[in-house]
Amino acid sequence: MKVISWKMLPARLSQLICAMLLILPVVSSGNEVLLQKSSELAKEPYRISYSLELKKQNMQTFRGNPTIRDRFSNKTQLDLLNYTPSAYYIGSQRWSGYPLPGEYPSVTQLEWELQASQRFRYSQDHFSTSHDAGINFREDLLHFPETTVAWEKDYSYGALSPLVDLVKGRQWVFAASMDGRLSAFHSNTGRTQWEFKFPLGESIQNAMASFVHQDRLLLSAGTNLGNIYFFLAETGALFYKISLGSPLNAPLHYFKSEEMTGLIAVSKRELVCIDIEAGKEKWRKTISEEISLSPFSLQVGRQMLIIVGSISGNIHALSLEGNSIWQKSSDSSNLSCLVGFVSQAKPYIAGATISKSVFLLNAANGQLLSRKKIPALPRSVLSVDARSFSFGIVVADPENTDKSYMITDHFFSDQRIVGQVSLPGRRFLGPIGTRIDGETFYYLIDELWGLWMIQKGSSRAVRGFPFRLSLYPGSYYPHQSGGMVLTDYALFAACPGKGLIAVGSPEAFSMDRSFRELSSYQQTQSNYRNDIDRLPSAESIRLYPVSLSVPDKQRVLPKPGVLFFPKSRELFMITSTPEGDIVLYDEQGKQRYRLNLQAGRMNANPILEFIREDEVRIFLLSEKVLQSWAWNIHTQRLVRLWERRDLNSKASTFIQAEHDSGKTLYFVDERNYLTAVASDSGDTIFREIVDSHQFVYYVIYAQAYVFCGSKKIDARTGKLISRSFTPASHSSVVSLAGKSYLFQSDDLDMIAWDAHNQEQLWRVRRLWCKQYCFQRTAPAILHKAYGAWAYWTDYTRLVCIDVVTGFISWRASFRDDYLLSSPAIAENAGNIGVFLGSIRGNLYAFHARSGETLNTFPIQLLGKENPDETLKGCSIPLVLNGSLLIYRMEAGLIQIGKINENNRDFKLIQFQVSDEHYKFSRPIFNRAEVFWDQKVYFSNIVQD
């Protein structure tokens, strides 16, 4: 034993104190995080309702997830929880989970661990948190998927329900087929990342589970031979394998608690718990009856339970040690499905039975809370909205067995049926419910591969649905299970007899979405974004000195460009010089980087993208050359990768699109050829002569097209598909309810086309143009789940047109001012603004629905108009979170407002306490605190 002398004690104590200081969080005096607390008093019942709102104030990087704690006064006691906590305190004792009502008088402190960016995932790891509803309903999404098929994969032997998760910051889709394949795909393009083939005769028979283990994402899959495989999600490499000795009867279920992290596997009459940390079986529980439903875990207060249903209609609740907690019979009728959820910190289990009923149980003890009859046998899973206790389910049509009904109802409603929609067929995937902007919708897929969208309480589908997921008829294979998942912007479905289908506009996941312009916005020219939490305001105006020009009247100023640095969390404005150098300005107007390229004047924004943390790939198109560069930010080294002196352009749309075979650059060169070039090599893929310098790139039924003036061109091969559209027109495109709309204009009319069938849908007469009649413009498009509106600049007016009907909704006229460029649309929590610049240098903003002018607008932009100039005016605005960038010919690049951190992932936390003993006779002081990245931030003090 080593003896420490008294002379060494001061040094050892100093080391110990330093180590403790490294562990303890530091109280921050900075303003990078704001925790706002508010209260509302009700004196009669003596209740205080508290609200907590967390906001990041700048774009600083934070590691880990924020944890909010609120210690309320000992004069009050907890009364109601509207947002379920992740832990709570009784005195100094901390308990993981949430308090049940019987513990409310003893609770002294609440704790919430907030998780951002979960809306891009669909996995059991995500839905195992205590404050989420079951896997068949999502209340964390912000955006509906567009109704266009982005890509598809043929799984003629059948595909199981996919998983969606994040791998190295990108969204991947994992799917297994019944012929023994397990594959990973990039969500944006469908490109195969890796594929694993099981030994002959072995295949996955049920849905998989994904989870994070030792900072690595793992996939787990059970096979027909009773083996459980664990794969590294990034590479597909086999991590380890466990053999259970008997075939699995249901999907694996992942759970995580403070006691252990594990998987529940089900054979015919056994539950097996696998300890993931130890990599071995922990316990095995024999059930006296056959297990018929997938198990799931549910946080019930401070305890996590494993719930499983049997073929005879019994529901078993087990502890994590495999001990029976309670058992409930569903009146001896077979269970159709079971889901678990937590609402206002109270646990529930909902289910459906073949005795034509749905029920609701208290998950703490199995007590029956509600039972409700449904018209016929259930034909789908149950989707439950935890906030309103409403549900959606498909049942058989009592009068026609080849038809069904989708019903939406409430567990505690006195009415018989709230909503009922007739559906064809007997077999369905879904429904999956989601609530966005206060409205609840359900998605499901019928056996004819039709995607339905149904609003809660409605008697018909949303206008335009069902949307056919395939142009070609096929057979529905009843022995294949399939499945679908829903994330932000996208829906992924494994359709029996068809394969894996991606619907919407899935993109690489990114935390900086609101600080840049996504490629889909550039490709479709819809100029609409709904991923911000703050609209631009005129609190500040900054001018960046940029030399601007356009070569002729048919060209327009490009939309401003920005580049976000993920490592330093800084945003830079991308500009160029007449000599062909690229200059990056920070938000203070300081020139931070100048890349000496000498490429000649660029009338199209260069494309800059991060390849690695410190390396940027640059693509530029100038009047002299097309080039690709590699730029190392750390060393400031520039390397030219390839150059094409034979390709140049005075002004054109310039985009990069990603296919399953790679990335491609598209532009119109100086000889009016639409040109496609491989991004990695600069090799020409195709050239096709066109009649417009502006175009859009869009995917319809998994086929990518370029729409340029009168032509529709295959984006992969350059094959001419059609020349029936409007010559020399600008274009924009959007999908709504299964139809793709292409918008163009000629000298007389604003026109909408069916982009797939080349049919003209409607025309709206334009004003007679006398001056500044240079371009045939295309609109910006606001698109929601239930409708879309096109916002067209028409000489001296802005026109809002209903996309489906072609009727004008409203118009705004401008006296002595003219409009050349298209507007931009930005939405924030239901507030939708339309922003546009004019010839006279005014920035206008209107409410998208009513046409009323927004407060503080119009704004006179910096710069002085020269009446003798013909080529003048403003570009299309670029809207960022809290800010707007716009080019003005007479001035340069102008920034309106300040770019802010996006806080849409952090929801409002609400709870209620009571003061029945003191009855507000004494003042109550209260404040909360947030722990984030080893720092502590305090809220304001609330006095009641």
Side-chain angles (χ1 to χ4, degrees):
M1 178 176 169
K2 186 177 180 180
V3 179
I4 301 175
S5 68
W6 64 271
K7 293 182 179 180
M8 299 172 62
L9 283 177
R12 296 301 299 270
L13 286 172
S14 176
Q15 293 175 2
L16 182 62
I17 291 172
C18 290
M20 293 176 64
L21 288 175
L22 288 175
I23 297 173
L24 293 174
V26 178
V27 177
S28 175
S29 58
N31 61 351
E32 56 264 26
V33 172
L34 173 65
L35 182 60
Q36 183 69 37
K37 183 164 187 176
S38 59
S39 64
E40 184 177 341
L41 219 61
K43 290 189 176 181
E44 282 305 317
Y46 302 104
R47 301 288 190 271
I48 307 174
S49 297
Y50 289 116
S51 297
L52 295 168
E53 187 174 14
L54 178 65
K55 290 186 176 180
K56 290 179 66 177
Q57 298 292 93
N58 56 35
M59 293 184 286
Q60 174 182 330
T61 300
F62 284 82
R63 292 172 294 180
N65 295 319
T67 299
I68 295 177
R69 290 180 187 165
D70 197 318
R71 184 193 304 272
F72 37 88
S73 170
N74 57 9
K75 304 181 182 69
T76 62
Q77 76 171 41
L78 183 63
D79 188 65
L80 179 65
L81 285 168
N82 288 331
Y83 193 91
T84 304
S86 53
Y88 65 102
Y89 288 77
I90 296 179
S92 60
Q93 178 67 49
R94 180 183 180 275
W95 297 98
S96 179
Y98 53 88
L100 295 176
E103 299 176 290
Y104 283 5
S106 305
V107 175
T108 56
Q109 188 174 185
L110 297 172
E111 180 180 303
W112 297 267
E113 182 181 357
L114 307 183
Q115 296 187 5
S117 309
Q118 298 300 297
R119 49 198 172 91
F120 294 94
R121 304 176 61 215
Y122 199 105
S123 65
Q124 293 179 359
D125 182 20
H126 166 40
F127 289 105
S128 64
T129 53
S130 61
H131 53 268
D132 281 317
I135 61 172
N136 297 323
F137 193 92
R138 300 203 65 162
E139 51 186 32
D140 59 335
L141 302 186
L142 300 175
H143 313 98
F144 297 103
E146 285 191 40
T147 49
T148 182
V149 175
W151 51 266
E152 60 184 17
K153 297 292 179 180
D154 180 25
Y155 277 85
S156 56
Y157 290 99
L160 302 173
S161 185
L163 286 177
V164 180
D165 220 316
L166 303 178
V167 179
K168 297 178 66 175
R170 307 202 76 177
Q171 189 184 53
W172 284 19
V173 182
F174 303 93
S177 64
M178 298 179 70
D179 62 346
R181 287 180 292 160
L182 172 61
S183 306
F185 305 99
H186 187 271
S187 69
N188 188 22
T189 63
R191 181 191 300 172
T192 302
Q193 305 297 311
W194 53 260
E195 184 174 270
F196 179 88
K197 293 185 178 180
F198 290 92
L200 186 64
E202 188 173 18
S203 63
I204 299 174
Q205 297 297 305
N206 292 287
M208 303 172 293
S210 66
F211 52 88
V212 176
H213 173 65
Q214 297 178 354
D215 297 326
R216 291 178 292 186
L217 182 66
L218 298 185
L219 298 179
S220 60
T223 70
N224 58 332
L225 301 184
N227 296 320
I228 299 179
Y229 289 80
F230 295 84
F231 301 93
L232 293 177
E234 183 178 346
T235 63
L238 181 62
F239 193 57
Y240 63 89
K241 182 178 76 170
I242 297 176
S243 181
L244 300 182
S246 58
L248 301 183
N249 202 40
L252 297 172
H253 178 76
Y254 165 84
F255 68 88
K256 183 177 182 180
S257 69
E258 290 195 345
E259 292 79 17
M260 68 175 296
T261 301
L263 279 177
I264 298 295
V266 177
S267 62
K268 194 169 185 179
R269 294 180 182 270
E270 283 186 326
L271 284 173
V272 182
C273 178
I274 299 170
D275 189 329
I276 293 176
E277 298 292 337
K280 62 182 182 180
E281 181 180 318
K282 184 176 180 63
W283 53 259
R284 189 180 290 249
K285 175 79 172 180
T286 301
I287 305 294
S288 59
E289 50 200 351
E290 184 177 339
I291 300 171
S292 60
L293 297 177
S294 305
F296 61 88
S297 60
L298 187 64
Q299 189 75 38
V300 179
R302 65 180 69 168
Q303 183 181 23
M304 182 171 285
L305 300 183
I306 305 297
I307 311 296
V308 67
S310 71
I311 196 169
S312 58
N314 292 320
I315 303 169
H316 300 264
L318 308 175
S319 69
L320 294 186
E321 292 75 32
N323 300 320
S324 178
I325 302 299
W326 55 260
Q327 180 178 331
K328 177 71 176 179
S329 173
S330 58
D331 296 338
S332 298
S333 58
N334 289 359
L335 294 168
S336 170
C337 64
L338 281 178
V339 294
F341 62 96
V342 177
S343 178
Q344 297 184 349
K346 296 175 183 177
Y348 300 92
I349 296 173
T353 72
I354 62 172
S355 61
K356 306 178 186 178
S357 68
V358 294
F359 60 86
L360 186 68
L361 304 180
N362 182 343
N365 53 27
Q367 177 188 359
L368 180 65
L369 302 176
S370 171
R371 181 181 296 275
K372 191 162 190 176
K373 282 290 183 181
I374 54 179
L377 292 174
R379 284 180 169 174
S380 76
V381 296
L382 189 67
S383 178
V384 181
D385 182 351
R387 183 178 300 181
S388 64
F389 289 97
S390 61
F391 64 87
I393 191 171
V394 179
V395 300
D397 185 338
E399 300 178 358
N400 187 341
T401 58
D402 291 328
K403 291 186 177 181
S404 304
Y405 283 106
M406 166 72 183
I407 62 172
T408 55
D409 205 346
H410 296 264
F411 282 106
F412 302 107
S413 171
D414 294 332
Q415 304 177 32
R416 179 157 181 80
I417 295 295
V418 175
Q420 184 169 295
V421 178
S422 179
L423 305 170
R426 303 180 181 183
R427 302 173 183 89
F428 300 89
L429 301 181
I432 295 179
T434 182
R435 188 193 315 106
I436 299 178
D437 296 335
E439 298 288 342
T440 298
F441 295 87
Y442 296 92
Y443 287 96
L444 60 93
I445 298 174
D446 63 32
E447 59 187 23
L448 300 177
W449 307 334
L451 175 65
W452 294 73
M453 185 181 187
I454 298 170
Q455 189 170 11
K456 183 179 77 173
S458 176
S459 59
R460 61 177 62 90
V462 172
R463 183 173 60 177
F465 285 88
F467 159 53
R468 295 299 164 196
L469 297 178
S470 176
L471 294 173
Y472 309 103
S475 301
Y476 188 97
Y477 296 168
H479 64 279
Q480 298 179 8
S481 57
M484 70 174 181
V485 299
L486 183 65
T487 67
D488 233 19
Y489 295 103
L491 181 148
F492 304 92
C495 294
K498 177 61 179 175
L500 184 63
I501 298 175
V503 178
S505 54
E507 289 208 40
F509 162 76
S510 176
M511 284 290 290
D512 60 342
R513 295 176 71 96
S514 60
F515 307 138
R516 62 189 179 95
E517 186 178 36
L518 296 181
S519 59
S520 63
Y521 301 154
Q522 299 168 344
Q523 293 165 6
T524 64
Q525 298 293 314
S526 62
N527 296 322
Y528 163 59
R529 68 184 313 156
N530 55 357
D531 55 353
I532 62 176
D533 69 350
R534 190 174 303 183
L535 294 180
S537 63
E539 59 187 29
S540 64
I541 301 177
R542 184 181 299 277
L543 174 66
Y544 300 86
V546 180
S547 175
L548 300 173
S549 67
V550 290
D552 54 52
K553 296 179 181 180
Q554 278 68 48
R555 320 293 175 113
V556 296
L557 286 171
K559 185 190 296 187
V562 293
L563 180 66
F564 184 77
F565 283 24
K567 185 176 180 180
S568 61
R569 303 286 295 175
E570 294 179 285
L571 188 77
F572 295 94
M573 321 304 162
I574 305 173
T575 65
S576 61
T577 66
E579 299 77 25
D581 296 340
I582 294 178
V583 181
L584 303 184
Y585 291 93
D586 62 20
E587 274 202 274
Q588 286 69 45
K590 180 181 178 181
Q591 178 180 311
R592 292 283 294 277
Y593 300 98
R594 185 183 180 110
L595 309 183
N596 186 17
L597 306 177
Q598 295 293 304
R601 179 175 288 278
M602 289 176 267
N603 296 311
N605 278 328
I607 299 171
L608 284 77
E609 62 173 357
F610 276 89
I611 303 300
R612 284 179 286 276
E613 191 176 66
D614 289 322
E615 186 172 338
V616 177
R617 186 65 47 84
I618 301 173
F619 302 98
L620 62 88
L621 176 67
S622 74
E623 295 181 355
K624 296 181 178 179
V625 69
L626 173 69
Q627 291 178 334
S628 172
W629 296 79
W631 174 39
N632 188 291
I633 299 173
H634 180 69
T635 64
Q636 290 300 298
R637 185 187 180 195
L638 271 169
V639 177
R640 187 168 60 201
L641 302 177
W642 52 261
E643 179 181 80
R644 293 288 302 271
R645 288 278 175 183
D646 59 322
L647 296 176
N648 57 79
S649 178
K650 287 186 177 180
S652 161
T653 303
F654 183 42
I655 63 170
Q656 179 178 233
E658 186 174 5
H659 313 294
D660 54 2
S661 58
K663 295 182 179 180
T664 305
L665 299 171
Y666 296 91
F667 59 93
V668 177
D669 70 11
E670 199 48 41
R671 298 177 182 83
N672 293 330
Y673 279 89
L674 174 68
T675 306
V677 172
S679 298
D680 57 351
S681 63
D683 295 335
T684 300
I685 298 174
F686 69 79
R687 300 182 74 210
E688 172 68 29
I689 194 164
V690 291
D691 51 29
S692 176
H693 296 97
Q694 190 268 359
F695 59 86
V696 294
Y697 173 99
Y698 202 64
V699 179
I700 303 174
Y701 283 110
Q703 176 63 53
Y705 299 102
V706 173
F707 297 90
C708 186
S710 62
K711 293 189 174 183
K712 176 182 178 181
I713 300 167
D714 188 311
R716 288 180 172 85
T717 65
K719 178 182 177 182
L720 179 63
I721 305 300
S722 172
R723 57 171 77 244
S724 59
F725 298 110
T726 310
S729 174
H730 293 190
S731 304
S732 56
V733 63
V734 71
S735 282
L736 175 67
K739 182 177 290 186
S740 296
Y741 292 82
L742 175 68
F743 303 96
Q744 296 181 324
S745 63
D746 57 22
D747 293 334
L748 298 177
D749 297 309
M750 298 171 276
I751 309 168
W753 302 86
D754 185 323
H756 179 62
N757 298 322
Q758 294 81 242
E759 297 177 358
Q760 189 177 120
L761 301 175
W762 48 258
R763 302 174 71 99
V764 175
R765 182 66 64 178
R766 298 182 63 182
L767 294 177
W768 180 38
C769 186
K770 302 177 183 178
Q771 190 177 4
Y772 304 112
C773 311
F774 302 150
Q775 287 100 30
R776 296 178 172 182
T777 60
I781 306 129
L782 166 64
H783 49 94
K784 309 289 285 183
Y786 44 82
W789 295 263
Y791 297 83
W792 236 300
T793 52
D794 180 26
Y795 186 40
T796 59
R797 65 174 182 170
L798 174 67
V799 182
C800 172
I801 302 176
D802 187 304
V803 165
V804 177
T805 64
F807 295 152
I808 294 178
S809 299
W810 57 263
R811 60 176 67 86
S813 299
F814 303 89
R815 178 177 295 182
D816 299 327
D817 208 349
Y818 308 91
L819 307 173
L820 280 182
S821 58
S822 298
I825 308 169
E827 178 178 1
N828 162 37
N831 298 317
I832 310 174
V834 182
F835 302 88
L836 67 155
S838 72
I839 285 288
R840 305 290 190 211
N842 292 308
L843 179 64
Y844 298 95
F846 301 91
H847 286 284
R849 297 290 178 78
S850 64
E852 297 178 358
T853 303
L854 293 180
N855 293 334
T856 73
F857 287 90
I859 298 172
Q860 178 63 51
L861 298 175
L862 301 173
K864 186 176 181 181
E865 180 192 9
N866 183 353
D868 297 330
E869 289 181 347
T870 303
L871 302 178
K872 56 185 176 181
C874 299
S875 69
I876 299 173
L878 172 62
V879 180
L880 304 172
N881 200 52
S883 181
L884 180 146
L885 298 174
I886 189 170
Y887 282 124
R888 186 183 180 194
M889 183 76 74
E890 300 86 349
L893 177 61
I894 301 171
Q895 179 182 359
I896 307 295
K898 185 178 183 301
I899 299 173
N900 294 280
E901 179 64 80
N902 196 326
N903 293 285
R904 293 192 71 178
D905 282 324
F906 301 134
K907 294 186 177 180
L908 188 69
I909 295 175
Q910 294 178 316
F911 66 97
Q912 182 177 283
V913 299
S914 61
D915 184 25
E916 295 182 354
H917 179 70
Y918 295 100
K919 298 184 178 180
F920 297 155
S921 60
R922 303 178 184 181
I924 298 173
F925 297 91
N926 188 262
R927 76 172 179 180
E929 55 196 10
V930 58
F931 299 82
W932 203 356
D933 200 5
Q934 297 184 347
K935 291 184 180 180
V936 182
Y937 304 87
F938 293 101
S939 75
N940 56 301
I941 298 176
V942 176
Q943 177 183 354
D944 294 300

